[in-house]
Amino acid sequence: MRPFFFGAALAAMLLACSSSASANPLGTGWHTWDEVRFGLRGETYAGTRREGAGSVARLRLGGADFELVARRFFAGPIGVSFALAFLPPFDAFDGISYLRGDLSLDAGLFRWNGKVPGAFIVGAGFGGDLGRYSFAGRFYPRLEARLRLRPSEHVGLFVATDVMPAALGPDDRVVQVRTELGFSWRLLIVSLRVGHAIMTGGNPERTYVQQELGLYAGVGLM
Amino acid sequence: MKRIARFFWLASVAVLPLVGCYDETSAISTDVSSLDLRMGYQLVGTSKGTTVKGYLHGPGADPRLVEGDRLELRTPIGVVPLAVIDGEFSLELPPAGGDYELALVRAPGRGGDLSQKYFLAPPFAVRAPVTASRAAALTVDWDPAPGPHRTQLTVRGPCVALVTRDLAGDVGSYRFNPYELSSSAVAPGSCTVTIGITKGALLAGGYAVATQSASTTLEMTP
């Protein structure tokens, strides 16, 4: 499995570095490679989940994922984005292994120049995940909104929210919202992500909620 | 830049206290669905009284009944509230036969009430001669009662092997034919034997859930 990690990391680095050649300062045009990054995210999540037919279990657990994100505009402000989060099922990671993949069609709605150039991008697509979370094992539609700012040549900021309003797979109805606040300096990226998953179902019907807080560190290009 | 770095540093520190994992089913009854509860009880009656022992288990930890949830035993002589400690309960009641019902009464929206109903035969007495010969016929009498229960007659003592008779109904009398007991002799001479009658409901596998018993002794000679 290790060669796979190194291969994925190397691929992400190469993509990031190769994209730098085609990158334009934000605000003067849509990047061909808008974003490519690879990193590690550590997270803790807490809340409730359904146990059995309709009982409540309370949890506070942690996890970690390797994460690969690639966004590319191919026709002006129209592009695609792909995200893969994964933690292989090593023995040491029993119960927290995870796989998630998202694919979206993006549209850059606004971009501006000025003292702090930036862009606002929305996306719609689908994804699926497996493992770790009580609500995982699902296929879902996905909506995303992303605000990016570049206060200086080497510094970037972004705020992104993605919403998964429904899910196919779990017995319960699942709605998940995740918001990420990120900062980049040259090729280094760190971010803080807050997530909420709301599950409704069971007998008696209850609403179960899990909150997630995660920190990400990676390399790439914004 | 320094402020942003400080923010992420503080966010990292804030995550640390959240590390500490658990995933536990709630022990508060409001969090437990009736569909995830298991309960049962056993009635052991004699002419001196009725012993009740039972359990109430949840999907994880044994539930603590709160906010309108209560467990009670409906008996022929009244309704008795039950206190569940570590998932179990027991109590002593005056002797009484009839319908007993263990009921978990729940507030609305928790999966509904649960109940288990058993019939306990009324207390009775067993009558037999003071002495009897193993080589002669022996008639045992007791108070019959109508009901769905089964009736079992046992004879045991140091000079006879255990003799068991499952009777077709609660007929109130049984006659051992001559030599029926002598064929069960395991020691020469006389001894005190106990003649017992048990009237009870049996679950699959022969587990007795509601038994009313009575016995008497006699001196058995060769």
Side-chain angles (χ1 to χ4, degrees):
Chain A
M1 194 60 74
R2 281 183 182 174
F4 174 73
F5 289 148
F6 293 134
L10 184 61
M13 290 289 288
L14 290 174
L15 282 170
C17 294
S18 66
S19 64
S20 65
S22 59
N24 295 314
L26 197 68
T28 60
W30 298 104
H31 294 194
T32 303
W33 284 102
D34 182 66
E35 178 185 19
V36 180
R37 59 181 162 100
F38 181 80
L40 180 66
R41 186 183 303 279
E43 57 225 342
T44 178
Y45 58 101
T48 56
R49 65 171 176 83
R50 180 160 65 87
E51 172 75 25
S55 301
V56 178
R58 301 179 194 286
L59 56 88
R60 188 166 72 197
L61 298 168
D65 301 311
F66 295 98
E67 200 169 283
L68 175 65
V69 176
R71 302 174 194 276
R72 179 186 173 98
F73 286 103
F74 58 84
I78 304 300
V80 293
S81 62
F82 168 77
L84 179 68
F86 60 96
L87 186 70
F90 290 152
D91 290 343
F93 301 153
D94 184 37
I96 65 170
S97 60
Y98 186 58
L99 176 65
R100 176 188 180 114
D102 294 327
L103 185 64
S104 299
L105 184 67
D106 292 344
L109 293 188
F110 310 107
R111 59 184 168 86
W112 58 89
N113 296 313
K115 191 174 182 180
V116 182
F120 182 68
I121 303 162
V122 295
F126 57 88
D129 66 353
L130 200 63
R132 190 185 301 161
Y133 303 101
S134 60
F135 52 83
R138 60 186 171 145
F139 184 77
Y140 49 80
R142 181 172 171 273
L143 303 170
E144 182 179 10
R146 186 177 180 83
L147 173 67
R148 301 182 53 201
L149 301 172
R150 189 175 289 276
S152 72
E153 183 182 355
H154 298 303
V155 175
L157 294 170
F158 69 87
V159 180
T161 297
D162 60 336
V163 180
M164 286 133 278
L168 197 63
D171 294 333
D172 298 340
R173 298 187 296 278
V174 181
V175 176
Q176 190 178 18
V177 179
R178 301 186 309 172
T179 300
E180 186 171 14
L181 173 64
F183 164 77
S184 68
W185 179 74
R186 294 185 184 274
L187 290 180
L188 300 178
I189 303 169
V190 292
S191 74
L192 176 70
R193 189 174 68 191
V194 179
H196 290 83
I198 301 165
M199 299 141 281
T200 305
N203 185 356
E205 186 174 281
R206 301 178 195 268
T207 297
Y208 307 88
V209 179
Q210 291 179 22
Q211 297 97 21
E212 180 181 23
L213 181 64
L215 286 172
Y216 170 88
V219 295
L221 181 72
M222 291 183 68
Chain B
M1 175 81 175
K2 286 183 179 177
R3 286 182 181 177
I4 293 170
R6 188 179 299 166
F7 169 78
F8 279 100
W9 171 245
L10 289 174
S12 304
V13 173
V15 169
L16 290 179
L18 298 179
V19 176
C21 301
Y22 59 82
D23 185 355
E24 299 167 343
T25 304
S26 175
I28 304 170
S29 67
T30 53
D31 287 341
V32 180
S33 167
S34 299
L35 299 178
D36 295 321
L37 288 170
R38 291 174 293 116
M39 71 176 194
Y41 68 116
Q42 187 177 24
L43 299 167
V44 178
T46 67
S47 58
K48 295 178 181 176
T50 302
T51 302
V52 183
K53 290 183 178 179
Y55 62 87
L56 176 67
H57 296 318
D62 294 319
R64 181 163 51 87
L65 300 179
V66 297
E67 295 183 23
D69 291 341
R70 67 180 191 278
L71 190 66
E72 62 187 27
L73 184 66
R74 297 164 185 164
T75 77
I77 54 176
V79 178
V80 182
L82 296 171
V84 183
I85 301 172
D86 294 332
E88 297 182 346
F89 59 87
S90 65
L91 74 159
E92 296 289 335
L93 295 172
D99 288 326
Y100 286 72
E101 183 177 21
L102 177 67
L104 176 64
V105 182
R106 311 214 63 189
R110 296 175 190 170
D113 295 350
L114 298 177
S115 69
Q116 274 182 8
K117 198 171 185 177
Y118 296 143
F119 174 78
L120 181 65
F124 62 97
V126 180
R127 292 173 294 278
V130 177
T131 61
S133 168
R134 289 196 291 269
L138 169 64
T139 300
V140 178
D141 298 308
W142 65 90
D143 305 319
H149 55 272
R150 296 181 179 186
T151 304
Q152 187 178 67
L153 168 64
T154 58
V155 178
R156 72 180 73 206
C159 59
V160 292
L162 174 65
V163 176
T164 302
R165 297 288 182 267
D166 289 311
L167 307 179
D170 189 2
V171 293
S173 182
Y174 184 82
R175 182 177 186 271
F176 288 97
N177 293 319
Y179 306 108
E180 192 175 351
L181 291 173
S182 61
S183 63
S184 303
V186 292
S190 301
C191 69
T192 301
V193 300
T194 301
I195 299 175
I197 297 286
T198 300
K199 304 175 181 181
L202 300 178
L203 292 179
Y207 179 69
V209 290
T211 59
Q212 189 68 259
S213 300
S215 65
T216 188
T217 58
L218 63 76
E219 190 68 15
M220 183 152 281
T221 60

